[in-house]
Amino acid sequence: MDADPRGPESGTAVAVAEGPAGLVGFGSCGAQRAAELAADGFDGEVSAIYVLSAAQRRGTGSALMAALAAHLRRSGYRAASLWVLRDNATARRFYARLGGVVVGERVERRERATLEEVAYGWRDLAALRRGPVSG
């Protein structure tokens, strides 16, 4: 897995996960874009994370999140959040296992759909880097 900073002008970093057959996942992170979450102390953001279904439940997502958290910490961020669709139960369980807690909600109305999302947050990026919380 490699973190690939895209330069100070963009403020975004990308991490990729590769398996024997090639790319199996990616994630990106940078400065918080949601003003309400920034005001609540979540200065960093995981803006995207995706793992192929064939690579899920093998530690790939946890490793990507750890790499993103490490990059955010090195860049001076203290806390981070991400948005996920309210109905994505699998992803929500994953973020909860990593110690994320719901810190916000929003509804985005688009031309053909309404997206209901919740924000998961981590106030301590070092804790996120440690991986899943047992329980």
Side-chain angles (χ1 to χ4, degrees), residues 2-74:
D2 298 310
D4 177 17
R6 296 292 180 185
E9 65 281 348
S10 71
T12 299
V14 174
V16 298
E18 295 183 87
L23 189 66
V24 297
F26 73 93
S28 63
C29 65
Q32 181 61 249
R33 296 176 294 171
E36 68 275 15
L37 293 174
D40 197 22
F42 296 98
D43 52 350
E45 178 182 42
V46 173
S47 49
I49 184 164
Y50 179 78
V51 176
L52 290 174
S53 55
Q56 292 176 4
R57 302 193 193 305
R58 295 192 164 117
T60 305
S62 297
L64 280 169
M65 290 292 284
L68 296 170
H71 174 79
L72 288 168
R73 280 182 48 112
R74 283 192 307 273

